Amino acid sequence: MPETTTDPSFVVVANRLPVNRVTDADGGTSWQTAPGGLVTALEPLMREKGGAWIGWIGAPDEVVKPFRHDGYQIVPVELSEAEVEDYYEGFSNGTLWPLYHDAVAFPEYHREWWDSYKQVNKRFAEAAAASAGHGATVWVQDYQLQLVPAMLRELRPDLKIGFFLHIPFPPIELFEQIPWRRQIIEGLLGADLVGFQTPAGAQNFLRLVRKRTDNRVERYRVFVKDSHVCAARAYPISIDVQGFHDLAQSPEVKAESEALLEELGHPKNILLGVDRLDYTKGLRQRIRAVGELFASGQLDPAETVFLQVATPSREDVEQYRVLRDDIDLLVGRINSQVGGVGRPAISYRHAGFPRATMAAMYRIASVMLVTPLRDGMNLVAKEYIACHPGRAGALVLSEFAGAARELKRAYIVNPYDLDGLKETIMEALTDPYAERSKRWRAMQRQVWNHTIDDWANNFLRDLEGEPEPEPEPAEPEA
């Protein structure tokens, strides 16, 4: 069991650590802070409270001793190669991920995956129990660790325990497929506060608690027998808005955006998609819709380019290899049929890019296409709004992304409806400036008034105190 040299009052438990190992030219290694909004939001609290972050380093069968980084403790948890296969690739990403995303891919239920999931969750819980100071606050993150809250409460009833689910929580009819549904529900009920991206996710969870347990439920609170009260509420996550805005305004990013425009041939319009290569992101539907717009002549490849970034993801998993090959073939076929002179209609980039390059892409995009089949939030939509310098950008947003509940003035679309998707893309491109500007200002207000810091502060305020009695925050300004 990992041991720490500190007695932290604030502990984060996540599948991955907030640091990446870097090898220099001489072969030496060091640890650098990983990019990401969650790390940005929580690092100041970690330093202030002498906190600890518990997670896996990302390499199997490797033992790394705890160490300090930027004023807080890093507590690595070891995973074997078999556990990476069964707990992570198996139960987390082969069972929970597709099921929680409306079963857009078939979830698999294997007992050996579940056994590994339990075993690894127990290891994380034990690491947290060994690391946290008396009465500390422990914040557990995401679907890989849903059993940790109850396990940790059994080990350390003195702790204040929070849990946040970054992906959607499915409807009761889907969740009940899981053979171990009650164990997962009881695992989450070990927390004092369970946070979801949307009110619908919280309500789905509370309905399951009513149906599958004997605990009394009053509004958003569950009275866990002979133990504690568990609240379930929505806390929509956001981004470091100022950080993204400042990055996009930097001379380096401005220069990169100009170079990218030059590379693309200075088209009149740029449609942009930015996604992980994942079957939940609606890539097939989006590319088909744009391809049909080019084929019909509604989009002119001499004036419009569709820039699609698909960051490689889980490439050793068969479903993802099939998706990669399908997208490659689809893009190639469209470009061979409707390519413009000197450049393809679709500029497809199957690669990862640094945040500065993404900010450069956001700067030049006339229309951002965010059309997942299901998403907990989708922060790309908010990043675009923070980075785009104009006053009339346009966001085409799936109604099945959590962000659609907040960004109501986006061009909302059902990604399964290809004709509707095509009409909405054209509407976003051709609407008068005044209409686009009105929509844009409303979305900017929403994003700037609800930052990643607000998200973290609101969750921790409610975890450490009594949540406010009102049912849900007011709707964002339209």
Side-chain angles (χ1 to χ4, degrees):
M1 185 183 303
E3 297 180 355
T4 67
T5 58
T6 60
D7 193 29
S9 61
F10 181 62
V11 177
V12 172
V13 186
N15 180 64
R16 289 297 299 271
L17 289 170
V19 292
N20 291 327
R21 182 165 41 198
V22 177
T23 303
D24 60 30
D26 299 326
T29 60
S30 61
W31 296 92
Q32 293 184 0
T33 300
L38 184 64
V39 178
T40 300
L42 298 184
E43 267 201 332
L45 285 169
M46 306 290 282
R47 288 191 288 266
E48 175 189 340
K49 299 186 177 185
W53 191 303
I54 295 165
W56 176 46
I57 64 170
D61 294 312
E62 184 173 353
V63 178
V64 176
K65 292 183 179 180
F67 60 93
R68 293 193 68 77
H69 173 79
D70 281 356
Y72 61 95
Q73 191 80 358
I74 297 292
V75 184
V77 172
E78 178 189 358
L79 293 183
S80 69
E81 187 172 348
E83 287 168 338
V84 173
E85 183 176 341
D86 290 342
Y87 145 77
Y88 182 67
E89 297 293 354
F91 196 78
S92 295
N93 293 319
T95 301
L96 295 175
W97 179 267
L99 186 75
Y100 282 31
H101 287 85
D102 285 359
V104 296
F106 189 75
E108 299 181 39
Y109 305 106
H110 300 295
R111 288 170 291 182
E112 61 272 22
W113 288 3
W114 167 248
D115 290 340
S116 183
Y117 187 81
K118 288 190 297 181
Q119 180 180 342
V120 172
N121 272 243
K122 182 180 179 182
R123 189 175 308 142
F124 274 85
E126 289 173 345
S131 301
H134 182 77
T137 295
V138 179
W139 195 357
V140 185
Q141 305 289 330
D142 224 3
Y143 64 104
Q144 302 96 342
L145 302 174
Q146 291 177 102
L147 305 182
V148 168
M151 292 174 170
L152 183 56
R153 182 167 294 278
E154 184 175 349
L155 293 168
R156 292 286 305 275
D158 61 295
L159 300 176
K160 185 69 74 170
I161 303 170
F163 179 91
F164 185 78
L165 183 68
H166 292 258
I167 67 174
F169 191 84
I172 184 170
E173 296 82 4
L174 284 176
F175 186 89
E176 290 202 319
Q177 292 182 20
I178 304 177
W180 311 280
R181 57 200 180 191
R182 185 180 178 96
Q183 292 96 313
I184 293 175
I185 296 168
E186 291 175 343
L188 293 172
L189 286 175
D192 296 283
L193 177 61
V194 182
F196 300 88
Q197 297 280 23
T198 65
Q203 289 303 314
N204 289 343
F205 174 69
L206 290 170
R207 282 194 286 269
L208 280 161
V209 172
R210 289 187 184 98
K211 182 174 181 180
R212 292 294 170 186
T213 77
D214 297 328
N215 298 301
R216 179 165 57 94
V217 179
E218 291 185 1
R219 296 181 62 211
Y220 60 86
R221 297 190 299 175
V222 181
F223 294 83
V224 184
K225 290 186 176 180
D226 303 321
S227 181
H228 65 289
V229 176
C230 172
R233 301 285 292 270
Y235 297 87
I237 198 169
S238 192
I239 62 170
D240 175 15
V241 184
Q242 189 69 55
F244 272 99
H245 175 77
D246 292 345
L247 177 64
Q249 294 298 319
S250 68
E252 295 80 10
V253 168
K254 287 182 178 179
E256 188 168 359
S257 67
E258 288 300 318
L260 183 57
L261 275 173
E262 180 72 23
E263 179 185 344
L264 294 174
H266 288 279
K268 178 182 177 182
N269 301 307
I270 296 176
L271 309 178
L272 175 63
V274 174
D275 307 87
R276 281 192 312 107
L277 186 62
D278 189 282
Y279 51 76
T280 65
K281 300 302 182 181
L283 284 166
R284 290 186 179 98
Q285 291 85 348
R286 183 189 313 160
I287 293 171
R288 281 183 59 195
V290 173
E292 289 181 13
L293 288 172
F294 279 119
S296 68
Q298 292 169 273
L299 290 180
D300 182 352
E303 293 187 345
T304 301
V305 169
F306 175 30
L307 173 58
Q308 174 64 60
V309 173
T311 304
S313 175
R314 302 171 190 162
E315 296 218 306
D316 55 342
V317 177
E318 177 65 21
Q319 283 178 315
Y320 289 80
R321 289 197 297 267
V322 170
L323 176 62
R324 179 195 62 200
D325 294 344
D326 285 352
I327 298 299
D328 285 343
L329 289 171
L330 183 58
V331 170
R333 185 167 64 249
I334 293 169
N335 280 336
S336 68
Q337 294 170 348
V338 300
V341 177
R343 65 164 182 249
I346 301 177
S347 178
Y348 176 64
R349 311 199 175 188
H350 178 49
F353 294 96
R355 183 177 293 187
T357 301
M358 301 314 306
M361 293 179 181
Y362 295 143
R363 282 186 61 87
I364 65 174
S366 315
V367 178
M368 186 83 207
L369 305 181
V370 180
T371 57
L373 306 179
R374 173 64 69 186
D375 231 333
M377 178 54 61
N378 197 300
L379 296 178
V380 164
K382 298 183 179 185
E383 291 172 6
Y384 172 63
I385 292 167
C387 290
H388 188 72
R391 298 182 179 180
L395 173 65
V396 174
L397 180 60
S398 167
E399 64 184 270
F400 304 123
R405 188 176 182 273
E406 297 179 274
L407 303 175
K408 292 182 178 296
R409 296 311 304 273
Y411 292 87
I412 304 297
V413 68
N414 175 356
Y416 292 96
D417 176 7
L418 292 192
D419 287 337
L421 178 55
K422 290 161 59 178
E423 291 172 6
T424 304
I425 291 171
M426 293 308 301
E427 182 183 1
L429 267 176
T430 60
D431 258 355
Y433 176 88
E435 172 64 17
R436 286 167 54 118
S437 180
K438 181 180 177 182
R439 288 172 176 266
W440 188 251
R441 290 195 304 271
M443 293 190 295
Q444 281 185 316
R445 285 194 296 270
Q446 170 64 27
V447 169
W448 278 93
N449 290 333
H450 299 85
T451 69
I452 185 70
D453 290 331
D454 296 327
W455 168 79
N457 292 336
N458 290 341
F459 185 95
L460 292 172
R461 176 203 65 209
D462 289 353
L463 174 60
E464 294 170 3
E466 175 69 15
E468 295 295 323
E470 65 267 20
E472 293 301 335
E475 296 291 343
E477 183 178 359

